[in-house]
Amino acid sequence: MAQPMLKKDDDRDDEVDYHPFFGIEKGAVLQEARVFNDPQIDPRRCSQVITKVLYILNQGDTLTQIEGTEVFFSVTKLFQSKDPGLRRMMYLMIKELSPSAGEVIMVTSSLMKDMNSKTDMYRANAIRVLSRIIDGTILAQIERYLKQAIVDKNPVVASAALVSGIHLLQTSPEVVKRWSNEVQEAVQSRASLVQFHALALLYQIRQHDRLAVTKLVTSLTKGSVRSPLAQCLLIRYASQVIRESGANQAGERPHFDYLESCLRHKAEMVILEAARAITELSGVTSRELTPAITVLQLFLSSSKPVLRFAAVRTLNKVAMTHPLAVTNCNIDMESLISDSNRSIATLAITTLLKTGNESSVDRLMKQITNFMADIADEFKIVVVDAIRSLCLKFPLKYRSLMNFLSNILREEGGFEYKKAIVDSIVTLIRDIPEAKEIGLFHLCEFIEDCEFTYLSTQILHLMGNEGPRTSDPSKYIRYVYNRVILENATVRAAAVSTLAKFGALVDSLKPRIFVLLRRCLFDSDDEVRDRATLYLKVLGGEAVVGETEKETNEFLFGSFDIPLVNLEASLKNYEPSETPFDISSVPREVRSQPLAEKKAAGKKPTGPTGPTSGPVVSAIDAYEKSLSSIPEFAAFGKLFKSSAPVELTEAETEYAVSVVKHIYDGHVILQFNCSNTIPEQLLENVTVLIDASEAEDFAEVYTKPLRSLPYDSPGQTFVAFEKPDGVPAVGKFSNILKFIVKEVDPASGEVEEDGVEDEYQLEELEVTYADYMLKVPVSNFRNAWESMDPESERVDEYGLGARESLAEAVNAVISILGMHPCEGTEVVANNSRSHTCLLSGVFIGNVKVLVRLSFGISGPKEVAMKLAVRSDDPDVSDRIHEIVASG
Amino acid sequence: MATLPSVKNILVLDSEGKRVAVKYYTDDWPSVSSKLAFEKSVFTKTMKINARNEADIVMFDGHIVIFKFIQDLHFFVTGGDDENELILASVLQGFFDAVGTILRNNVEKRTALENLDLIYLCLDEVVDGGMILETDASVIADKVSSASGLEAMAPFSEQTLSQAFAVAREHFARSLLK
């Protein structure tokens, strides 16, 4: 080469080590930085020192504030030098130091001079540096230059100004919005990057004006955009317009033609962007999908891994909603299974598993087996999940899929991976009756050599429930008892419970189980011995768990449906005393977020020391404690449910009031949380006057006033109503806050003697059916559903009318019923036309209720719903229907 | 809201995963230790992949990372997992080729460190605060070289005919070797 670019470094000879920055040290470099202050500036030496400082920062070291300021000031001295290379390094340094406002003033004038320099490179970089460090006032001074720069004929300068505009839009939007005309001119620039930056800025200026965005997209899609990057942006903006407008009357989408034309663009990034935009259109039809799928299919056989990845990732997503549209690509997909990029291979496999048909399953499994050995655990989990859903889709293929799962179960793998496999097998056992026995058998084999206690106990539990009901229960006993001999205490204890379950259900095995359990009495672990003793007594009929065999079984097999968090909180609160801990006193309501403690704690210092110990204490616990400490409410019995607080005032009014509805069997207590936001006032004798004329079933029985409500210290007043026992009465209440106002001198805190009576209108509140429903999850909806009496089932169909979307309809019904959505069924997949939602809850009177909702949406967004209810009490099932019918 | 294509970071690591030059543009990794942890995991996940001829891609923890290796240097560009992969790839390619031009195709750790100021300038010209500034390698290299401070060196766009010829010959030779 003519001119070697390697620097002829003066101190090169000293640094024989091949690393030029070896042993570099911050203190020494900062010493060196004094060279910036020399009256005779040596540009090359200064550049080197700046590089060293940048290197230190880049390696993750930081400068203290003093060090930073010092370096910054000495760097500003270098503006005297005219050396272009040094100037560039100074720009970098200033950006890296992100100076404080006071320091910025030191450099603005120099930078503004550079901004008007004849050298393009100075102009562009000075703009970028300035926009990074200035505030609004300086921006006003340089605005004129920035506007000019946007339409500068040098693309580098224009881009620098536009990008700075995008950054500045975050901090000073009103200034940047004034540049609209210049930006619009820049959109027509011949330089491709300028066009891209201008379009981005123009959109961001107008993004809150839907009409303007639509206009922008309409005019530009006609074809003046040349830059591929700008084209990608335009596609994003166009699909946003499509999203917001929906299909028009003719069912034609606006701008769809534009998206389709982009599929023929010569830049691959544009094609990809357009294809992806099409696949993500809501309610996309297969006719619309086809051209996009075709180009993606071509990408699948590209030599570039990035392109293959992008294509297979997009197709994988499409396969979730439109598996049929992707089947054409299956052959290309299969060749990707051996792709050297494992991400691509995994995505290809999971796509194939989603789109494959029954006949191809066996072939696929063979290919995957070879593949599984050399991928990482995280990919294996993805594959296992895909196989599980495939098996649920083709139950007849359970044999080969189950075999596959058991084979990979035997191979090496981490906990997460093994857990995914075991979970899959468990799901298959649950959902495919034929697969039960071979599945259980595979699991038995697995626990013979399983290093994970968690998985062993989980499997033992499952075997206890399922094993006794198989054709030959005795063959499992060996595996279970081996655990008692070989494993750690936790697994041994689980195995003892499993043995007991076999003994309880299979009479022929009972004597043998007794022998085994008796051996467990000599175990070294307390828990194992205790369990063995307990089960021996129970099975032998000596202990009084229940009189009948049914109750024994309930004791052994009954599900534990109390949330563990609540149990833990209750146990923590329990003080050892005469009365034993009562498990039925544990609240069943699941609280997603524990309510702020102070709401409940700020009152009633007379009560027992409130549950202030830990954040795990649920709100209902706190409520129950505080309510039961009020003598008038003590006789109401057990608190069934407390609602979340509902605001009865607008935000930032004089008095803030929210209400919590406490539901009892025969009463409802309304707790008004009041706070006074006026420092000059003290409120006394605060009550809420309630007009219950629109709530016929309610009779007011007691009002507990709030004696005084000083500024900024919230308090509560209560109103109790009687209602028919166990009946979910509903109604509307209108409320007026009544109180005596006393003036307070905020400076001295002195209160005037005389007060004035006053009142304050609050918003209405409603007691709805949802208030009588507790959100109680069930762990396995299907099992719970089947264990309920089919006689109690009530089915009916409803038309919900036109709705925004299926998801909106589902959420509306869930909130009317106030029940807990199970198994994540509250989430509606995008674009789906039908949805099934599973809900569970406990209705007042402790009646367990399960609901199965099937939704369907028709073309003009009409939603229909089928509602099936099972509950412990057929009347309640009817009631649920009434609720929905009236809602 | 439709989003602007954006880059989360650009990394140049050596063959042991140590930093040569890095630049982060987002707050996804707030501390130095989280940045180093990300670099470590990205390095270990990709070190066995042969990304010397074509850029390759990996996706993890909600990020897409496009990478390409040369000699003892590993180049990475990271974006969000909903980003257009090819846009990120064009950023990587632009940066990668620009570094190649600046280092006269002698891209290895030693020369990179010896010309670290140019590498920093190059990073500065590719992406500004996460926004793509330029993806054309020759434009980037021009911008860096015109300010590199060596009077002896002319900007690439103003090379003499013989220099241009030399560069062209080299490019040709490389394309034959592929």
Side-chain angles (χ1 to χ4, degrees):
Chain A
M1 296 305 284
Q3 288 127 357
M5 236 176 110
L6 299 187
K7 290 194 173 174
K8 296 180 199 81
D9 214 331
D10 294 341
D11 8 82
R12 189 72 179 285
D13 300 346
D14 310 339
E15 293 171 304
V16 274
D17 192 276
Y18 105 98
H19 194 313
F21 296 100
F22 184 78
I24 193 168
E25 206 251 326
K26 186 170 93 174
V29 174
L30 291 179
Q31 283 284 335
E32 268 190 85
R34 299 204 173 144
V35 71
F36 301 158
N37 298 327
D38 282 356
Q40 278 302 325
I41 295 169
D42 173 354
R44 190 173 304 170
R45 175 120 181 81
C46 289
S47 286
Q48 282 164 11
V49 176
I50 291 184
T51 310
K52 281 184 187 171
V53 179
L54 287 173
Y55 176 79
I56 286 174
L57 294 175
N58 207 260
Q59 291 297 310
D61 213 336
T62 49
L63 299 181
T64 65
Q65 203 181 343
I66 299 171
E67 288 167 345
T69 313
E70 213 163 276
V71 173
F72 179 79
F73 278 124
S74 34
V75 167
T76 55
K77 302 237 167 69
L78 299 179
F79 271 110
Q80 295 167 34
S81 166
K82 295 267 178 289
D83 184 89
L86 178 59
R87 190 59 60 89
R88 284 302 310 278
M89 294 312 283
M90 286 167 58
Y91 292 145
L92 267 192
M93 194 70 228
I94 293 171
K95 271 200 273 191
E96 205 64 41
L97 288 171
S98 47
S100 66
E103 294 164 359
V104 168
I105 300 173
M106 302 286 302
V107 287
T108 37
S109 62
S110 306
L111 285 170
M112 276 161 75
K113 219 168 101 197
D114 283 357
M115 242 175 92
N116 293 302
S117 147
K118 288 209 176 61
T119 318
D120 295 335
M121 208 49 71
Y122 280 10
R123 287 214 301 285
N125 281 292
I127 289 170
R128 283 173 55 203
V129 176
L130 261 179
S131 72
R132 269 327 186 53
I133 60 176
I134 55 172
D135 57 13
T137 51
I138 306 178
L139 177 60
Q141 294 176 40
I142 61 166
E143 190 191 344
R144 191 161 54 91
Y145 304 114
L146 284 174
K147 269 162 98 169
Q148 242 167 42
I150 287 174
V151 287
D152 197 292
K153 63 179 188 309
N154 184 308
V156 179
V157 177
S159 275
L162 288 163
V163 170
S164 302
I166 297 173
H167 288 308
L168 289 169
L169 194 64
Q170 313 300 324
T171 50
S172 318
E174 62 299 329
V175 178
V176 181
K177 278 181 183 159
R178 292 201 291 260
W179 308 348
S180 210
N181 286 337
E182 286 78 9
V183 179
Q184 197 141 20
E185 198 182 324
V187 172
Q188 303 304 332
S189 164
R190 303 195 137 270
S192 82
L193 263 294
V194 174
Q195 194 168 49
F196 165 61
H197 295 132
L199 178 57
L201 181 55
L202 194 60
Y203 168 78
Q204 292 202 355
I205 289 175
R206 297 183 178 173
Q207 62 180 340
H208 300 296
D209 182 351
R210 257 174 74 172
L211 197 69
V213 172
T214 312
K215 261 187 176 160
L216 175 69
V217 170
T218 314
S219 70
L220 288 179
T221 47
K222 299 230 165 68
S224 53
V225 178
R226 283 173 305 273
S227 141
L229 275 172
Q231 200 74 258
C232 287
L233 265 188
L234 191 55
I235 291 170
R236 290 185 191 184
Y237 301 155
S239 38
Q240 193 196 333
V241 171
I242 296 176
R243 246 197 321 277
E244 280 168 0
S245 60
N248 60 20
Q249 303 84 343
E252 286 282 310
R253 268 182 229 276
H255 304 307
F256 183 79
D257 289 344
Y258 165 69
L259 293 184
E260 205 178 348
S261 72
C262 287
L263 294 176
R264 296 185 291 275
H265 198 275
K266 58 183 187 299
E268 281 160 345
M269 69 167 79
V270 177
I271 302 176
L272 175 68
E273 190 74 43
R276 205 168 266 174
I278 291 177
T279 60
E280 283 167 4
L281 291 175
S282 74
V284 64
T285 64
S286 39
R287 194 178 56 83
E288 289 169 322
L289 268 178
T290 314
I293 303 280
T294 313
V295 297
L296 290 172
Q297 186 175 4
L298 286 175
F299 283 178
L300 286 179
S301 43
S302 158
S303 65
K304 295 182 191 156
V306 178
L307 208 47
R308 294 199 300 273
F309 176 87
V312 77
R313 185 159 81 110
T314 315
L315 290 171
N316 185 293
K317 251 195 203 142
V318 178
M320 289 185 201
T321 47
H322 297 81
L324 283 180
V326 187
T327 41
N328 279 341
C329 311
N330 277 3
I331 294 176
D332 307 80
M333 235 20 126
E334 278 184 35
S335 59
L336 289 183
I337 293 180
S338 51
D339 199 293
S340 61
N341 183 320
R342 292 287 123 195
S343 310
I344 296 175
T346 312
L347 283 167
I349 286 207
T350 49
T351 315
L352 282 169
L353 290 174
K354 279 174 204 142
T355 59
N357 50 20
E358 200 153 356
S359 57
S360 64
V361 168
D362 290 316
R363 191 161 44 93
L364 256 182
M365 294 324 275
K366 217 171 271 162
Q367 280 175 304
I368 297 175
T369 315
N370 301 329
F371 160 83
M372 285 299 263
D374 50 32
I375 56 170
D377 269 11
E378 49 191 359
F379 291 140
K380 290 181 183 169
I381 293 173
V382 177
V383 175
V384 168
D385 284 343
I387 287 179
R388 175 179 51 200
S389 33
L390 181 72
C391 194
L392 293 176
K393 199 161 114 199
F394 302 122
L396 287 178
K397 286 288 168 195
Y398 74 88
R399 207 173 283 274
S400 65
L401 293 170
M402 197 64 113
N403 267 331
F404 175 80
L405 288 175
S406 74
N407 280 336
I408 56 174
L409 193 54
R410 267 183 236 125
E411 266 144 38
E412 287 295 302
F415 173 71
E416 291 299 330
Y417 173 44
K418 296 275 161 139
K419 183 169 177 295
I421 305 173
V422 170
D423 285 349
S424 299
I425 296 183
V426 169
T427 316
L428 300 186
I429 289 175
R430 199 182 64 208
D431 290 348
I432 306 173
E434 302 83 42
K436 186 156 106 182
E437 299 221 359
I438 86 170
L440 279 178
F441 185 70
H442 287 316
L443 291 177
C444 283
E445 295 263 285
F446 172 61
I447 55 171
E448 285 284 25
D449 183 24
C450 169
E451 52 188 314
F452 305 110
T453 301
Y454 174 87
L455 292 180
S456 293
T457 51
Q458 201 198 357
I459 292 170
L460 283 168
H461 176 77
L462 178 84
M463 281 170 60
N465 288 342
E466 301 289 345
R469 299 189 177 88
T470 54
S471 57
D472 182 13
S474 64
K475 73 177 177 195
Y476 300 106
I477 300 294
R478 181 171 66 90
Y479 296 104
V480 179
Y481 190 67
N482 277 346
R483 305 282 71 71
V484 178
I485 303 170
L486 300 167
E487 303 279 355
N488 63 40
T490 315
V491 179
R492 290 205 302 275
V496 168
S497 300
T498 307
L499 284 176
K501 288 176 184 172
F502 275 91
L505 285 187
V506 188
D507 277 337
S508 58
L509 287 175
K510 217 172 196 169
R512 282 190 266 168
I513 296 286
F514 268 94
V515 175
L516 295 176
L517 283 179
R518 267 189 217 109
R519 283 192 200 161
C520 300
L521 291 176
F522 302 103
D523 197 279
S524 60
D525 184 76
D526 289 351
E527 173 75 19
V528 178
R529 285 199 306 275
D530 286 355
R531 284 198 191 192
T533 315
L534 173 70
Y535 291 130
L536 276 170
K537 301 268 179 192
V538 171
L539 294 178
E542 292 168 50
V544 272
V545 177
E547 278 103 70
T548 63
E549 197 168 316
K550 183 165 175 282
E551 279 169 62
T552 313
N553 285 348
E554 195 131 291
F555 170 70
L556 282 175
F557 294 99
S559 65
F560 188 72
D561 54 1
I562 296 168
L564 289 179
V565 197
N566 295 3
L567 181 60
E568 186 189 347
S570 301
L571 281 171
K572 273 189 185 156
N573 281 344
Y574 174 72
E575 284 155 27
S577 63
E578 293 288 295
T579 46
F581 181 75
D582 183 8
I583 199 157
S584 63
S585 71
V586 180
R588 292 175 160 206
E589 177 102 2
V590 184
R591 286 278 168 179
S592 45
Q593 67 243 50
L595 200 87
E597 287 286 297
K598 60 170 187 255
K599 275 205 171 133
K603 60 182 170 189
K604 279 279 142 194
T606 50
T609 38
T612 48
S613 45
V616 277
V617 179
S618 66
I620 190 164
D621 252 359
Y623 285 137
E624 175 139 37
K625 277 226 159 131
S626 69
L627 288 172
S628 61
S629 65
I630 300 170
E632 286 82 0
F633 301 151
F636 288 179
K638 192 173 143 39
L639 178 60
F640 177 73
K641 179 183 178 175
S642 297
S643 75
V646 182
E647 299 294 336
L648 295 181
T649 49
E650 304 273 321
E652 291 165 27
T653 47
E654 300 96 304
Y655 315 113
V657 179
S658 66
V659 67
V660 179
K661 297 171 269 186
H662 301 289
I663 310 289
Y664 289 79
D665 249 2
H667 295 86
V668 172
I669 299 176
L670 301 176
Q671 170 186 334
F672 296 92
N673 301 319
C674 313
S675 66
N676 171 9
T677 61
I678 308 176
E680 295 83 15
Q681 285 190 356
L682 169 72
L683 307 189
E684 285 190 351
N685 211 7
V686 183
T687 54
V688 177
L689 189 69
I690 297 185
D691 174 11
S693 55
E694 281 185 74
E696 290 159 9
D697 292 332
F698 292 89
E700 191 174 327
V701 288
Y702 177 70
T703 301
K704 184 175 168 41
L706 174 62
R707 204 135 322 130
S708 99
L709 181 63
Y711 164 65
D712 204 20
S713 127
Q716 284 85 18
T717 164
F718 299 87
V719 181
F721 288 90
E722 199 168 32
K723 66 168 188 65
D725 241 2
V727 174
V730 294
K732 236 186 218 169
F733 302 85
S734 48
N735 318 295
I736 297 170
L737 192 68
K738 290 188 70 110
F739 46 82
I740 298 169
V741 185
K742 288 188 174 171
E743 296 285 318
V744 178
D745 182 353
S748 64
E750 262 175 55
V751 184
E752 277 185 29
E753 282 291 307
D754 299 320
V756 190
E757 258 192 57
D758 200 358
E759 50 188 47
Y760 186 80
Q761 184 69 41
L762 301 177
E763 280 169 35
E764 289 189 341
L765 82 96
E766 241 183 307
V767 172
T768 62
Y769 289 108
D771 290 323
Y772 296 97
M773 182 68 80
L774 277 184
K775 288 185 178 185
V776 177
V778 292
S779 49
N780 182 336
F781 188 87
R782 194 186 154 100
N783 281 0
W785 179 264
E786 269 157 21
S787 68
M788 290 259 212
D789 184 8
E791 292 290 303
S792 72
E793 183 167 326
R794 298 285 183 274
V795 187
D796 208 347
E797 287 177 12
Y798 300 88
L800 301 182
R803 293 282 175 164
E804 188 90 329
S805 69
L806 205 49
E808 192 251 314
V810 172
N811 285 333
V813 176
I814 293 177
S815 67
I816 288 173
L817 289 174
M819 296 177 76
H820 185 89
C822 300
E823 300 167 15
T825 51
E826 74 273 28
V827 183
V828 181
N830 247 347
N831 302 341
S832 63
R833 317 292 296 166
S834 65
H835 184 73
T836 301
C837 181
L838 309 172
L839 303 173
S840 72
V842 168
F843 203 60
I844 191 160
N846 268 334
V847 183
K848 205 164 158 190
V849 185
L850 296 175
V851 167
R852 197 185 274 251
L853 294 163
S854 311
F855 291 87
I857 190 163
S858 72
K861 310 246 168 198
E862 287 284 330
V863 178
M865 174 181 77
K866 186 173 147 195
L867 170 71
V869 190
R870 286 190 184 184
S871 73
D872 290 343
D873 179 353
D875 291 343
V876 172
S877 301
D878 290 331
R879 180 89 65 189
I880 300 291
H881 277 281
E882 283 171 29
I883 296 172
V884 172
S886 65
Chain B
M1 285 293 118
T3 54
L4 202 59
S6 63
V7 176
K8 293 188 178 217
N9 66 40
I10 299 182
L11 313 174
V12 183
L13 306 179
D14 69 7
S15 54
E16 289 161 13
K18 295 216 173 61
R19 281 181 177 182
V20 174
V22 299
K23 186 82 190 153
Y24 284 80
Y25 304 101
T26 61
D27 305 332
D28 294 54
W29 304 274
S31 64
V32 174
S33 56
S34 59
K35 289 185 174 88
L36 288 173
F38 175 77
E39 286 158 33
K40 185 160 187 254
S41 73
V42 107
F43 180 78
T44 44
K45 273 178 207 298
T46 57
M47 57 192 267
K48 293 212 184 82
I49 301 173
N50 181 5
R52 289 179 186 273
N53 292 326
E54 285 287 356
D56 214 318
I57 183 167
V58 69
M59 187 165 88
F60 70 98
D61 296 345
H63 307 296
I64 287 181
V65 184
I66 316 261
F67 52 97
K68 194 167 181 184
F69 306 153
I70 182 166
Q71 305 262 23
D72 53 358
L73 287 179
H74 295 207
F75 290 72
F76 303 90
V77 169
T78 308
D81 65 355
D82 50 356
E83 197 47 82
N84 183 327
E85 295 87 342
L86 299 178
I87 292 182
L88 294 177
S90 75
V91 174
L92 176 73
Q93 198 63 43
F95 177 58
F96 185 88
D97 290 346
V99 170
T101 316
I102 289 167
L103 302 182
R104 304 267 164 181
N105 295 319
N106 187 12
V107 182
E108 49 160 350
K109 185 180 172 186
R110 187 195 172 114
T111 48
L113 284 173
E114 280 166 349
N115 295 282
L116 198 58
D117 49 348
L118 302 182
I119 307 275
Y120 286 149
L121 287 178
C122 209
L123 274 174
D124 185 55
E125 293 293 354
V126 174
V127 172
D128 182 295
M131 221 166 317
I132 299 165
L133 203 56
E134 182 56 76
T135 56
D136 184 330
S138 62
V139 177
I140 299 168
D142 266 2
K143 286 205 233 174
V144 172
S145 62
S146 69
S148 68
L150 294 176
E151 293 89 324
M153 217 204 60
F156 287 79
S157 47
E158 291 164 26
Q159 282 173 339
T160 62
L161 198 63
S162 64
Q163 287 165 348
F165 185 65
V167 171
R169 194 169 50 199
E170 194 174 318
H171 271 280
F172 182 66
R174 260 202 305 163
S175 64
L176 280 181
L177 284 173
K178 261 184 195 171

